[in-house]
PDB file of all heavy atoms in Angstrom:
ATOM      1  N   THR A   1     100.756 331.331 122.339  1.00 97.00           N
ATOM      2  CA  THR A   1     101.290 330.539 123.450  1.00 97.00           C
ATOM      3  C   THR A   1     102.820 330.527 123.471  1.00 97.00           C
ATOM      4  O   THR A   1     103.414 329.971 124.392  1.00 97.00           O
ATOM      5  CB  THR A   1     100.795 329.084 123.362  1.00 97.00           C
ATOM      6  OG1 THR A   1     101.423 328.415 122.253  1.00 97.00           O
ATOM      7  CG2 THR A   1      99.290 329.033 123.186  1.00 97.00           C
ATOM      8  N   TRP A   2     103.456 331.135 122.469  1.00 97.00           N
ATOM      9  CA  TRP A   2     104.909 331.078 122.355  1.00 97.00           C
ATOM     10  C   TRP A   2     105.583 332.060 123.317  1.00 97.00           C
ATOM     11  O   TRP A   2     104.999 333.084 123.689  1.00 97.00           O
ATOM     12  CB  TRP A   2     105.340 331.415 120.933  1.00 97.00           C
ATOM     13  CG  TRP A   2     104.968 330.386 119.915  1.00 97.00           C
ATOM     14  CD1 TRP A   2     104.366 329.193 120.133  1.00 97.00           C
ATOM     15  CD2 TRP A   2     105.181 330.492 118.499  1.00 97.00           C
ATOM     16  NE1 TRP A   2     104.181 328.521 118.946  1.00 97.00           N
ATOM     17  CE2 TRP A   2     104.680 329.295 117.931  1.00 97.00           C
ATOM     18  CE3 TRP A   2     105.739 331.455 117.675  1.00 97.00           C
ATOM     19  CZ2 TRP A   2     104.722 329.060 116.565  1.00 97.00           C
ATOM     20  CZ3 TRP A   2     105.783 331.221 116.310  1.00 97.00           C
ATOM     21  CH2 TRP A   2     105.287 330.032 115.762  1.00 97.00           C
ATOM     22  N   PRO A   3     106.830 331.782 123.694  1.00 97.00           N
ATOM     23  CA  PRO A   3     107.571 332.748 124.515  1.00 97.00           C
ATOM     24  C   PRO A   3     107.855 334.018 123.727  1.00 97.00           C
ATOM     25  O   PRO A   3     107.802 334.024 122.491  1.00 97.00           O
ATOM     26  CB  PRO A   3     108.873 331.993 124.843  1.00 97.00           C
ATOM     27  CG  PRO A   3     109.017 330.969 123.763  1.00 97.00           C
ATOM     28  CD  PRO A   3     107.621 330.562 123.398  1.00 97.00           C
ATOM     29  N   ALA A   4     108.172 335.075 124.452  1.00 97.00           N
ATOM     30  CA  ALA A   4     108.419 336.360 123.792  1.00 97.00           C
ATOM     31  C   ALA A   4     109.588 336.270 122.818  1.00 97.00           C
ATOM     32  O   ALA A   4     109.568 336.867 121.744  1.00 97.00           O
ATOM     33  CB  ALA A   4     108.681 337.434 124.842  1.00 97.00           C
ATOM     34  N   VAL A   5     110.627 335.528 123.188  1.00 97.00           N
ATOM     35  CA  VAL A   5     111.800 335.338 122.326  1.00 97.00           C
ATOM     36  C   VAL A   5     111.908 333.853 121.989  1.00 97.00           C
ATOM     37  O   VAL A   5     111.997 333.015 122.887  1.00 97.00           O
ATOM     38  CB  VAL A   5     113.094 335.820 123.006  1.00 97.00           C
ATOM     39  CG1 VAL A   5     114.307 335.555 122.107  1.00 97.00           C
ATOM     40  CG2 VAL A   5     112.998 337.304 123.351  1.00 97.00           C
ATOM     41  N   THR A   6     111.874 333.539 120.717  1.00 98.00           N
ATOM     42  CA  THR A   6     111.946 332.150 120.264  1.00 98.00           C
ATOM     43  C   THR A   6     113.334 331.853 119.693  1.00 98.00           C
ATOM     44  O   THR A   6     114.160 332.744 119.512  1.00 98.00           O
ATOM     45  CB  THR A   6     110.894 331.876 119.177  1.00 98.00           C
ATOM     46  OG1 THR A   6     111.274 332.591 117.982  1.00 98.00           O
ATOM     47  CG2 THR A   6     109.507 332.307 119.623  1.00 98.00           C
ATOM     48  N   ASP A   7     113.559 330.575 119.388  1.00 98.00           N
ATOM     49  CA  ASP A   7     114.821 330.198 118.752  1.00 98.00           C
ATOM     50  C   ASP A   7     115.019 330.935 117.430  1.00 98.00           C
ATOM     51  O   ASP A   7     116.153 331.282 117.064  1.00 98.00           O
ATOM     52  CB  ASP A   7     114.858 328.685 118.492  1.00 98.00           C
ATOM     53  CG  ASP A   7     115.228 327.896 119.735  1.00 98.00           C
ATOM     54  OD1 ASP A   7     115.474 328.511 120.791  1.00 98.00           O
ATOM     55  OD2 ASP A   7     115.275 326.649 119.658  1.00 98.00           O
ATOM     56  N   CYS A   8     113.942 331.167 116.705  1.00 98.00           N
ATOM     57  CA  CYS A   8     114.064 331.882 115.431  1.00 98.00           C
ATOM     58  C   CYS A   8     114.486 333.330 115.649  1.00 98.00           C
ATOM     59  O   CYS A   8     115.253 333.888 114.847  1.00 98.00           O
ATOM     60  CB  CYS A   8     112.759 331.806 114.642  1.00 98.00           C
ATOM     61  SG  CYS A   8     112.412 330.155 113.992  1.00 98.00           S
ATOM     62  N   ASP A   9     114.011 333.945 116.718  1.00 98.00           N
ATOM     63  CA  ASP A   9     114.458 335.298 117.050  1.00 98.00           C
ATOM     64  C   ASP A   9     115.949 335.292 117.362  1.00 98.00           C
ATOM     65  O   ASP A   9     116.690 336.192 116.943  1.00 98.00           O
ATOM     66  CB  ASP A   9     113.680 335.847 118.253  1.00 98.00           C
ATOM     67  CG  ASP A   9     112.203 336.020 117.967  1.00 98.00           C
ATOM     68  OD1 ASP A   9     111.862 336.436 116.851  1.00 98.00           O
ATOM     69  OD2 ASP A   9     111.388 335.729 118.866  1.00 98.00           O
ATOM     70  N   ARG A  10     116.395 334.279 118.087  1.00 98.00           N
ATOM     71  CA  ARG A  10     117.814 334.188 118.431  1.00 98.00           C
ATOM     72  C   ARG A  10     118.647 333.897 117.184  1.00 98.00           C
ATOM     73  O   ARG A  10     119.763 334.410 117.048  1.00 98.00           O
ATOM     74  CB  ARG A  10     118.037 333.119 119.497  1.00 98.00           C
ATOM     75  CG  ARG A  10     117.403 333.484 120.839  1.00 98.00           C
ATOM     76  CD  ARG A  10     117.847 332.596 121.968  1.00 98.00           C
ATOM     77  NE  ARG A  10     117.348 331.235 121.803  1.00 98.00           N
ATOM     78  CZ  ARG A  10     118.104 330.152 121.857  1.00 98.00           C
ATOM     79  NH1 ARG A  10     119.411 330.250 122.033  1.00 98.00           N
ATOM     80  NH2 ARG A  10     117.567 328.952 121.733  1.00 98.00           N
ATOM     81  N   LEU A  11     118.111 333.100 116.275  1.00 98.00           N
ATOM     82  CA  LEU A  11     118.823 332.836 115.024  1.00 98.00           C
ATOM     83  C   LEU A  11     118.959 334.116 114.200  1.00 98.00           C
ATOM     84  O   LEU A  11     120.016 334.374 113.610  1.00 98.00           O
ATOM     85  CB  LEU A  11     118.081 331.767 114.219  1.00 98.00           C
ATOM     86  CG  LEU A  11     118.759 331.309 112.924  1.00 98.00           C
ATOM     87  CD1 LEU A  11     120.059 330.567 113.226  1.00 98.00           C
ATOM     88  CD2 LEU A  11     117.818 330.415 112.110  1.00 98.00           C
ATOM     89  N   ASP A  12     117.903 334.914 114.163  1.00 98.00           N
ATOM     90  CA  ASP A  12     117.967 336.197 113.458  1.00 98.00           C
ATOM     91  C   ASP A  12     119.091 337.068 114.021  1.00 98.00           C
ATOM     92  O   ASP A  12     119.838 337.714 113.270  1.00 98.00           O
ATOM     93  CB  ASP A  12     116.643 336.957 113.598  1.00 98.00           C
ATOM     94  CG  ASP A  12     115.510 336.314 112.810  1.00 98.00           C
ATOM     95  OD1 ASP A  12     115.782 335.437 111.975  1.00 98.00           O
ATOM     96  OD2 ASP A  12     114.351 336.704 113.050  1.00 98.00           O
ATOM     97  N   ALA A  13     119.205 337.099 115.343  1.00 98.00           N
ATOM     98  CA  ALA A  13     120.236 337.911 115.981  1.00 98.00           C
ATOM     99  C   ALA A  13     121.630 337.397 115.627  1.00 98.00           C
ATOM    100  O   ALA A  13     122.554 338.198 115.394  1.00 98.00           O
ATOM    101  CB  ALA A  13     120.036 337.925 117.495  1.00 98.00           C
ATOM    102  N   VAL A  14     121.786 336.084 115.592  1.00 98.00           N
ATOM    103  CA  VAL A  14     123.074 335.501 115.196  1.00 98.00           C
ATOM    104  C   VAL A  14     123.416 335.903 113.768  1.00 98.00           C
ATOM    105  O   VAL A  14     124.547 336.322 113.473  1.00 98.00           O
ATOM    106  CB  VAL A  14     123.054 333.967 115.334  1.00 98.00           C
ATOM    107  CG1 VAL A  14     124.291 333.344 114.683  1.00 98.00           C
ATOM    108  CG2 VAL A  14     122.991 333.561 116.796  1.00 98.00           C
ATOM    109  N   PHE A  15     122.439 335.784 112.869  1.00 98.00           N
ATOM    110  CA  PHE A  15     122.689 336.135 111.470  1.00 98.00           C
ATOM    111  C   PHE A  15     123.036 337.617 111.321  1.00 98.00           C
ATOM    112  O   PHE A  15     123.905 337.987 110.527  1.00 98.00           O
ATOM    113  CB  PHE A  15     121.474 335.765 110.613  1.00 98.00           C
ATOM    114  CG  PHE A  15     121.499 334.340 110.116  1.00 98.00           C
ATOM    115  CD1 PHE A  15     121.966 333.310 110.923  1.00 98.00           C
ATOM    116  CD2 PHE A  15     121.053 334.026 108.856  1.00 98.00           C
ATOM    117  CE1 PHE A  15     122.004 331.999 110.476  1.00 98.00           C
ATOM    118  CE2 PHE A  15     121.078 332.719 108.382  1.00 98.00           C
ATOM    119  CZ  PHE A  15     121.561 331.700 109.197  1.00 98.00           C
ATOM    120  N   ASP A  16     122.368 338.470 112.089  1.00 98.00           N
ATOM    121  CA  ASP A  16     122.695 339.902 112.052  1.00 98.00           C
ATOM    122  C   ASP A  16     124.138 340.129 112.504  1.00 98.00           C
ATOM    123  O   ASP A  16     124.866 340.936 111.908  1.00 98.00           O
ATOM    124  CB  ASP A  16     121.744 340.691 112.955  1.00 98.00           C
ATOM    125  CG  ASP A  16     120.344 340.809 112.383  1.00 98.00           C
ATOM    126  OD1 ASP A  16     120.168 340.543 111.173  1.00 98.00           O
ATOM    127  OD2 ASP A  16     119.425 341.153 113.147  1.00 98.00           O
ATOM    128  N   GLY A  17     124.545 339.404 113.544  1.00 98.00           N
ATOM    129  CA  GLY A  17     125.903 339.532 114.038  1.00 98.00           C
ATOM    130  C   GLY A  17     126.932 339.047 113.036  1.00 98.00           C
ATOM    131  O   GLY A  17     128.011 339.644 112.898  1.00 98.00           O
ATOM    132  N   LEU A  18     126.614 337.973 112.317  1.00 98.00           N
ATOM    133  CA  LEU A  18     127.530 337.466 111.300  1.00 98.00           C
ATOM    134  C   LEU A  18     127.699 338.475 110.159  1.00 98.00           C
ATOM    135  O   LEU A  18     128.801 338.679 109.655  1.00 98.00           O
ATOM    136  CB  LEU A  18     127.019 336.132 110.753  1.00 98.00           C
ATOM    137  CG  LEU A  18     127.028 334.959 111.736  1.00 98.00           C
ATOM    138  CD1 LEU A  18     126.351 333.742 111.117  1.00 98.00           C
ATOM    139  CD2 LEU A  18     128.447 334.610 112.180  1.00 98.00           C
ATOM    140  N   MET A  19     126.596 339.084 109.767  1.00 98.00           N
ATOM    141  CA  MET A  19     126.673 340.110 108.717  1.00 98.00           C
ATOM    142  C   MET A  19     127.620 341.234 109.135  1.00 98.00           C
ATOM    143  O   MET A  19     128.374 341.772 108.316  1.00 98.00           O
ATOM    144  CB  MET A  19     125.284 340.678 108.439  1.00 98.00           C
ATOM    145  CG  MET A  19     124.299 339.700 107.811  1.00 98.00           C
ATOM    146  SD  MET A  19     124.580 339.426 106.043  1.00 98.00           S
ATOM    147  CE  MET A  19     123.888 340.934 105.355  1.00 98.00           C
ATOM    148  N   ALA A  20     127.607 341.566 110.418  1.00 98.00           N
ATOM    149  CA  ALA A  20     128.429 342.670 110.917  1.00 98.00           C
ATOM    150  C   ALA A  20     129.915 342.352 110.908  1.00 98.00           C
ATOM    151  O   ALA A  20     130.741 343.276 110.949  1.00 98.00           O
ATOM    152  CB  ALA A  20     127.985 343.053 112.332  1.00 98.00           C
ATOM    153  N   VAL A  21     130.262 341.058 110.843  1.00 98.00           N
ATOM    154  CA  VAL A  21     131.679 340.686 110.848  1.00 98.00           C
ATOM    155  C   VAL A  21     132.120 340.127 109.494  1.00 98.00           C
ATOM    156  O   VAL A  21     133.118 339.423 109.397  1.00 98.00           O
ATOM    157  CB  VAL A  21     131.999 339.683 111.982  1.00 98.00           C
ATOM    158  CG1 VAL A  21     131.757 340.321 113.336  1.00 98.00           C
ATOM    159  CG2 VAL A  21     131.196 338.389 111.836  1.00 98.00           C
ATOM    160  N   GLY A  22     131.348 340.426 108.449  1.00 98.00           N
ATOM    161  CA  GLY A  22     131.772 340.072 107.104  1.00 98.00           C
ATOM    162  C   GLY A  22     131.373 338.699 106.606  1.00 98.00           C
ATOM    163  O   GLY A  22     131.916 338.224 105.605  1.00 98.00           O
ATOM    164  N   ILE A  23     130.416 338.078 107.284  1.00 98.00           N
ATOM    165  CA  ILE A  23     129.891 336.788 106.821  1.00 98.00           C
ATOM    166  C   ILE A  23     128.457 337.008 106.362  1.00 98.00           C
ATOM    167  O   ILE A  23     127.582 337.316 107.181  1.00 98.00           O
ATOM    168  CB  ILE A  23     129.949 335.719 107.926  1.00 98.00           C
ATOM    169  CG1 ILE A  23     131.404 335.464 108.333  1.00 98.00           C
ATOM    170  CG2 ILE A  23     129.296 334.414 107.458  1.00 98.00           C
ATOM    171  CD1 ILE A  23     131.566 334.535 109.518  1.00 98.00           C
ATOM    172  N   TYR A  24     128.229 336.886 105.072  1.00 98.00           N
ATOM    173  CA  TYR A  24     126.901 337.151 104.529  1.00 98.00           C
ATOM    174  C   TYR A  24     125.972 336.001 104.933  1.00 98.00           C
ATOM    175  O   TYR A  24     126.141 334.866 104.497  1.00 98.00           O
ATOM    176  CB  TYR A  24     126.937 337.279 103.012  1.00 98.00           C
ATOM    177  CG  TYR A  24     125.642 337.794 102.432  1.00 98.00           C
ATOM    178  CD1 TYR A  24     125.446 339.167 102.269  1.00 98.00           C
ATOM    179  CD2 TYR A  24     124.615 336.925 102.086  1.00 98.00           C
ATOM    180  CE1 TYR A  24     124.254 339.654 101.761  1.00 98.00           C
ATOM    181  CE2 TYR A  24     123.424 337.409 101.580  1.00 98.00           C
ATOM    182  CZ  TYR A  24     123.244 338.770 101.429  1.00 98.00           C
ATOM    183  OH  TYR A  24     122.049 339.246 100.934  1.00 98.00           O
ATOM    184  N   ALA A  25     124.991 336.304 105.787  1.00 98.00           N
ATOM    185  CA  ALA A  25     124.102 335.289 106.349  1.00 98.00           C
ATOM    186  C   ALA A  25     122.702 335.456 105.757  1.00 98.00           C
ATOM    187  O   ALA A  25     122.082 336.510 105.935  1.00 98.00           O
ATOM    188  CB  ALA A  25     124.061 335.401 107.867  1.00 98.00           C
ATOM    189  N   ALA A  26     122.234 334.440 105.059  1.00 98.00           N
ATOM    190  CA  ALA A  26     120.959 334.532 104.347  1.00 98.00           C
ATOM    191  C   ALA A  26     120.022 333.407 104.792  1.00 98.00           C
ATOM    192  O   ALA A  26     120.450 332.270 104.992  1.00 98.00           O
ATOM    193  CB  ALA A  26     121.186 334.452 102.845  1.00 98.00           C
ATOM    194  N   GLN A  27     118.760 333.753 104.906  1.00 97.00           N
ATOM    195  CA  GLN A  27     117.758 332.772 105.291  1.00 97.00           C
ATOM    196  C   GLN A  27     116.921 332.389 104.072  1.00 97.00           C
ATOM    197  O   GLN A  27     116.276 333.220 103.456  1.00 97.00           O
ATOM    198  CB  GLN A  27     116.869 333.329 106.401  1.00 97.00           C
ATOM    199  CG  GLN A  27     117.691 333.818 107.596  1.00 97.00           C
ATOM    200  CD  GLN A  27     116.926 333.838 108.895  1.00 97.00           C
ATOM    201  OE1 GLN A  27     116.229 332.885 109.231  1.00 97.00           O
ATOM    202  NE2 GLN A  27     117.069 334.901 109.658  1.00 97.00           N
ATOM    203  N   ASN A  28     117.016 331.111 103.705  1.00 97.00           N
ATOM    204  CA  ASN A  28     116.242 330.552 102.601  1.00 97.00           C
ATOM    205  C   ASN A  28     116.474 331.276 101.270  1.00 97.00           C
ATOM    206  O   ASN A  28     115.523 331.685 100.599  1.00 97.00           O
ATOM    207  CB  ASN A  28     114.748 330.558 102.959  1.00 97.00           C
ATOM    208  CG  ASN A  28     113.909 329.720 102.019  1.00 97.00           C
ATOM    209  OD1 ASN A  28     114.368 328.717 101.476  1.00 97.00           O
ATOM    210  ND2 ASN A  28     112.660 330.126 101.815  1.00 97.00           N
ATOM    211  N   PRO A  29     117.723 331.417 100.834  1.00 98.00           N
ATOM    212  CA  PRO A  29     117.978 332.113  99.561  1.00 98.00           C
ATOM    213  C   PRO A  29     117.723 331.255  98.329  1.00 98.00           C
ATOM    214  O   PRO A  29     117.837 331.745  97.202  1.00 98.00           O
ATOM    215  CB  PRO A  29     119.464 332.475  99.675  1.00 98.00           C
ATOM    216  CG  PRO A  29     120.046 331.374 100.495  1.00 98.00           C
ATOM    217  CD  PRO A  29     118.980 331.033 101.501  1.00 98.00           C
ATOM    218  N   GLY A  30     117.390 329.991  98.523  1.00 96.00           N
ATOM    219  CA  GLY A  30     117.116 329.099  97.396  1.00 96.00           C
ATOM    220  C   GLY A  30     116.622 327.766  97.917  1.00 96.00           C
ATOM    221  O   GLY A  30     116.652 327.512  99.123  1.00 96.00           O
ATOM    222  N   PHE A  31     116.173 326.911  97.003  1.00 95.00           N
ATOM    223  CA  PHE A  31     115.590 325.638  97.435  1.00 95.00           C
ATOM    224  C   PHE A  31     116.639 324.560  97.663  1.00 95.00           C
ATOM    225  O   PHE A  31     116.413 323.623  98.418  1.00 95.00           O
ATOM    226  CB  PHE A  31     114.570 325.152  96.398  1.00 95.00           C
ATOM    227  CG  PHE A  31     113.775 323.964  96.858  1.00 95.00           C
ATOM    228  CD1 PHE A  31     112.886 324.064  97.922  1.00 95.00           C
ATOM    229  CD2 PHE A  31     113.932 322.722  96.250  1.00 95.00           C
ATOM    230  CE1 PHE A  31     112.163 322.957  98.363  1.00 95.00           C
ATOM    231  CE2 PHE A  31     113.215 321.617  96.677  1.00 95.00           C
ATOM    232  CZ  PHE A  31     112.328 321.741  97.732  1.00 95.00           C
ATOM    233  N   THR A  32     117.795 324.676  97.025  1.00 97.00           N
ATOM    234  CA  THR A  32     118.854 323.680  97.157  1.00 97.00           C
ATOM    235  C   THR A  32     120.150 324.357  97.592  1.00 97.00           C
ATOM    236  O   THR A  32     120.258 325.588  97.566  1.00 97.00           O
ATOM    237  CB  THR A  32     119.107 322.948  95.826  1.00 97.00           C
ATOM    238  OG1 THR A  32     119.617 323.899  94.867  1.00 97.00           O
ATOM    239  CG2 THR A  32     117.824 322.320  95.285  1.00 97.00           C
ATOM    240  N   LEU A  33     121.129 323.540  97.944  1.00 96.00           N
ATOM    241  CA  LEU A  33     122.417 324.071  98.357  1.00 96.00           C
ATOM    242  C   LEU A  33     123.061 324.868  97.231  1.00 96.00           C
ATOM    243  O   LEU A  33     123.584 325.969  97.446  1.00 96.00           O
ATOM    244  CB  LEU A  33     123.334 322.910  98.783  1.00 96.00           C
ATOM    245  CG  LEU A  33     124.594 323.256  99.569  1.00 96.00           C
ATOM    246  CD1 LEU A  33     124.241 323.924 100.886  1.00 96.00           C
ATOM    247  CD2 LEU A  33     125.423 322.002  99.812  1.00 96.00           C
ATOM    248  N   GLN A  34     123.009 324.334  96.030  1.00 96.00           N
ATOM    249  CA  GLN A  34     123.620 325.012  94.888  1.00 96.00           C
ATOM    250  C   GLN A  34     122.911 326.317  94.573  1.00 96.00           C
ATOM    251  O   GLN A  34     123.542 327.357  94.347  1.00 96.00           O
ATOM    252  CB  GLN A  34     123.621 324.094  93.667  1.00 96.00           C
ATOM    253  CG  GLN A  34     124.376 324.655  92.471  1.00 96.00           C
ATOM    254  CD  GLN A  34     124.432 323.667  91.312  1.00 96.00           C
ATOM    255  OE1 GLN A  34     123.419 323.078  90.938  1.00 96.00           O
ATOM    256  NE2 GLN A  34     125.613 323.480  90.746  1.00 96.00           N
ATOM    257  N   GLU A  35     121.579 326.278  94.552  1.00 97.00           N
ATOM    258  CA  GLU A  35     120.819 327.492  94.264  1.00 97.00           C
ATOM    259  C   GLU A  35     121.058 328.548  95.341  1.00 97.00           C
ATOM    260  O   GLU A  35     121.195 329.743  95.035  1.00 97.00           O
ATOM    261  CB  GLU A  35     119.330 327.158  94.172  1.00 97.00           C
ATOM    262  CG  GLU A  35     118.457 328.340  93.779  1.00 97.00           C
ATOM    263  CD  GLU A  35     116.979 327.992  93.713  1.00 97.00           C
ATOM    264  OE1 GLU A  35     116.568 326.943  94.264  1.00 97.00           O
ATOM    265  OE2 GLU A  35     116.229 328.774  93.109  1.00 97.00           O
ATOM    266  N   GLY A  36     121.119 328.104  96.593  1.00 97.00           N
ATOM    267  CA  GLY A  36     121.379 329.042  97.673  1.00 97.00           C
ATOM    268  C   GLY A  36     122.729 329.720  97.532  1.00 97.00           C
ATOM    269  O   GLY A  36     122.858 330.928  97.732  1.00 97.00           O
TER     270      GLY A  36
END
């Protein structure tokens, strides 16, 4: 029932764009802020 493009798809695109400009963008790299 979901739309073809969701907010998570748009977030993925943002993160890909950040990686391209030198900002390492990671999704769920750890359970806490420090671990991440």
Side-chain angles (χ1 to χ4, degrees):
T1 70
W2 291 356
V5 178
T6 69
D7 280 359
C8 290
D9 296 321
R10 294 192 292 128
L11 184 67
D12 290 347
V14 170
F15 273 38
D16 287 345
L18 293 174
M19 293 283 283
V21 296
I23 298 174
Y24 190 90
Q27 306 204 46
N28 193 31
F31 189 66
T32 65
L33 195 62
Q34 186 176 47
E35 184 181 17

